[in-house]
Every structure is written in C-alpha cells, then in structure tokens.
Amino acid sequence: MLSIVVPCFNEEASLPIFFEETEKVKRQLNMPFEYIFVNDGSSDQTLPVLRELYRAHPDSVRYLSFSRNFGKEAALYAGLQAAKGDFVTVMDADLQDPPSLLPEMFALLRSKPELDCVGTRRADRKGEPKIRSFFSNSFYNIINKIADTEMVNGARDFRLMRRNMVDAVLQLSEYNRFSKGIFSWVGFDTEYIAYENRERVAGETSWSFWKLFQYSIDGIVNFSDTPLNIASFIGALSCLGSLIALVFIVIRTFIFGDPTSGWPSMVSIFLFVGGLQLLCLGIIGKYIGKIFLETKNRPLYFLKETEEDQEKPK
Ligand code: UDP
Ligand code: MG
C-alpha cells in the first residue's frame, strides 16, 4: 500500500484540485492508496473540505486535524506517524509537487532494489526573483561547507520512501525539526528526479522572505556547530591581537613617553570588541534557545479531530 501524506494549511482552494489530480494517477498506478491529510490549524474551510472528502471516500481518505498551527514540520511528522503503507510519499497540497511524477518515482524505486527513497528537486530556479535565488544558493553553499549532513540544492520535501526509511525518520522526534536535514541525516540511498518548478494552483504561499531567512538559520544551527567554533576562533584571535598591541604600547611608552593619546581609536576598538562580544553571545544564545525548547520535551502537536471521530459512512 502507498500512503500519501499531505500537510494542509489554508488549502481549501487547492485541495479539491489536488485530490482530483492524484486520483488520476492512482488509476495509472493500480495499487492501494491511503491519503493522510493533516490540517495544520487552518483558519479557512480546509477542515470541512477534508470532512467532505472523507465522507465521499471513506476507504482511502484519512485526516488529522491539529488544535492550532504547529507548522509544516510537525504536520509532516504527524502524517508519517499515521501512515501505514509500505511506501510513503509526502506532498504539498498546492500541486507544486506534481502527482504525475509518482509513476516515474515508483518505476525508479522498483528498478533498483537497493534504493530506499526517490526524492525530487527542482531543475532550475527559473521564475524565482534573482535575489532569492542568490540567497538560496548561498544557503546551500554555506550549509554544505559547515554541516556534516549533505543538503541537496533545490531538493523538495516531495519524496517516496520505503518503510525502513520512514521508521528511521520517525525515531528522530526532536522538537526543532528541519526536514531537509533530517531526511538526509538518516542516510539510506536516495536518488533525485529533477523537474521544472511550478506555481501553486491556488491560495498563497505561507513563506515570506524573513521566514525563509529564519528557516535557513534554523537549518544551520540544527545541523552544525561551526558557528560556535567560528565565534571562539574570532574571540581567540582578537584576544591575541590585543595582547600583542598591549605589549607594543607598553614598550613604546617606556621608550618615547606618552604623547597625547588618541581616544577616537580607543573608542573604535571598544566598539569593535563590544560588537564582537554581542555577536558571539547571539550565536551562543541561538543554541541555548534550541536547547531550552528541546529540554521542555513538549509534544510536537496536539490533535483535535481525526476521521475516526466521524461516523463511518456506508
Ligand atoms: N503548510 C503547513 N503548515 C504551515 C505552512 C504550510 O502544513 O504552517 C503546508 C501547506 O499547506 C503546503 C505545504 O506546507 O501543503 C507547503 O507550503 P507552501 O506552499 O506555502 O510553501 P512553498 O511551496 O511556497 O515552499
Ligand atoms: Mg507550495
């Protein structure tokens, strides 16, 4: 059986189109399907749409509804937990992950028994603002340099996994979830299929530039401690520098006396060192914040409703 996990946040307009498209593929694939829609605290009609879908297709549709918006990462985790299939795929509801790729992904997975996962990545960054592509590419350059976990540039969350890999992902129950990293951290053999990027069919993206920026910082902090090393390195360097300067000044004063001292340079140095300290404190604070959230050990989400709360239609 194949489980399709779909996180949904305000997707009332996309869901019916998504379902229709996927049903078409289902006929091609000719294997049992199970949909798991996760309503991530939508404020629109997503939940009624899901109830409707369940009533119309009680045998293949399941849904989970969160008590509030917990974010896509939590929705993915909940969906994976609920999935019962031997194969599991995760897809966005906005058709940016085209279901029509599924047969190709299946064929690839079947043709190579040693493969555990077929992922997708965008072939290029056409149609994206230049500046955004620049930041995205820089992010991947940086993170691949400083983190041990390899992150594939342009890889999407859309992937088809075998059960063994799903179980591995589920064992990482950390609170700070960065899926791109988690999927690659667990290892297993993954091959990527490239495809042309598409616009979402309806609704709006929930990602602003600022959110993406924070997401990338999260990715770095979650998978690398290099920023901490850089901070200590800069600290050590400036310590050494100032020590040499101190010796130099003391000796110079002994030899030449102390002419009018330059306080502007003094102030600059204070500011510089103060700034450095704040920067390093900020970096350390980032990690402490993560530890703080992690040690609270809170559940990743709360369910308010699932399809089991509904009477099973005949
Ligand atoms: N999503 C979610 N919770 C959120 C934000 C997004 O479950 O807090 C879902 C959303 O419904 C969609 C997928 O995650 O199915 C990807 O979101 P979106 O299309 O906004 O992101 P983009 O494709 O622009 O990266
Ligand atoms: Mg999208």
Side-chain angles (χ1 to χ4, degrees):
M1 185 169 71
L2 170 67
S3 305
I4 303 187
V5 173
V6 190
C8 312
F9 176 59
N10 293 345
E11 302 281 9
E12 58 175 5
S14 331
L15 271 175
I17 317 176
F18 170 83
F19 191 72
E20 202 179 304
E21 285 294 312
T22 317
E23 283 291 284
K24 276 186 211 154
V25 177
K26 179 176 171 178
R27 266 165 245 140
Q28 276 178 44
L29 271 176
N30 199 12
M31 69 185 294
F33 258 50
E34 161 192 67
Y35 293 92
I36 298 162
F37 294 101
V38 185
N39 171 33
D40 185 13
S42 304
S43 53
D44 66 355
Q45 297 299 307
T46 300
L47 183 56
V49 170
L50 289 180
R51 287 189 191 124
E52 214 33 66
L53 273 179
Y54 169 67
R55 250 171 256 141
H57 309 268
D59 296 322
S60 59
V61 173
R62 296 167 59 200
Y63 70 87
L64 312 169
S65 185
F66 284 179
S67 56
R68 66 168 171 87
N69 180 262
F70 281 94
K72 182 183 174 184
E73 306 289 340
L76 273 183
Y77 190 76
L80 290 181
Q81 266 183 327
K84 296 190 187 120
D86 316 301
F87 299 97
V88 180
T89 175
V90 284
M91 295 169 93
D92 289 358
D94 56 10
L95 285 182
Q96 277 184 311
D97 302 333
S100 49
L101 271 182
L102 273 177
E104 192 185 329
M105 292 160 81
F106 250 109
L108 184 57
L109 198 63
R110 287 229 174 87
S111 68
K112 297 189 183 165
E114 78 280 2
L115 218 54
D116 305 291
C117 172
V118 176
T120 58
R121 58 185 190 82
R122 41 200 298 187
D124 51 40
R125 293 190 172 274
K126 247 189 286 172
E128 194 184 55
K130 281 260 158 15
I131 177 115
R132 190 139 164 180
S133 306
F134 170 75
F135 277 108
S136 300
N137 288 329
S138 324
F139 165 71
Y140 282 106
N141 283 341
I142 292 174
I143 197 151
N144 281 324
K145 283 225 174 67
I146 67 178
D148 299 331
T149 313
E150 199 207 337
M151 315 232 179
V152 178
N153 191 347
R156 296 192 53 93
D157 287 342
F158 182 24
R159 54 181 62 237
L160 177 67
M161 290 173 280
R162 281 186 207 273
R163 179 62 16 206
N164 53 353
M165 179 155 172
V166 177
D167 288 340
V169 170
L170 283 176
Q171 282 190 34
L172 302 195
S173 56
E174 61 212 61
Y175 183 83
N176 296 292
R177 303 188 73 74
F178 185 73
S179 285
K180 284 183 202 310
I182 289 177
F183 284 135
S184 119
W185 189 89
V186 294
F188 296 100
D189 294 311
T190 304
E191 242 173 63
Y192 288 90
I193 295 181
Y195 71 100
E196 222 31 59
N197 189 38
R198 318 194 173 189
E199 298 291 314
R200 69 177 11 258
V201 283
E204 265 173 37
T205 174
S206 34
W207 291 94
S208 62
F209 184 79
W210 179 236
K211 263 181 143 177
L212 274 178
F213 180 72
Q214 288 189 318
Y215 187 63
S216 59
I217 298 284
D218 273 353
I220 292 175
V221 173
N222 282 335
F223 279 90
S224 161
D225 56 4
T226 305
L228 285 176
N229 297 338
I230 295 177
S232 351
F233 181 72
I234 295 179
L237 209 66
S238 93
C239 191
L240 195 75
S242 53
L243 213 69
I244 294 172
L246 201 74
V247 171
F248 172 75
I249 288 168
V250 167
I251 293 176
R252 192 182 62 175
T253 313
F254 273 130
I255 301 176
F256 300 108
D258 187 18
T260 351
S261 47
W263 65 268
S265 51
M266 200 69 148
V267 171
S268 315
I269 292 168
F270 279 161
L271 284 181
F272 177 68
V273 173
L276 265 189
Q277 283 175 338
L278 277 184
L279 174 74
C280 296
L281 266 184
I283 295 176
I284 295 169
K286 258 292 192 225
Y287 284 88
I288 295 181
K290 297 274 174 205
I291 299 171
F292 176 59
L293 289 174
E294 209 65 66
T295 49
K296 287 200 222 182
N297 231 330
R298 290 188 175 163
L300 292 173
Y301 59 88
F302 281 113
L303 290 179
K304 184 169 172 194
E305 183 186 324
T306 73
E307 84 282 346
E308 281 162 10
D309 298 326
Q310 302 250 339
E311 237 174 86
K312 185 147 182 151
K314 301 265 144 47

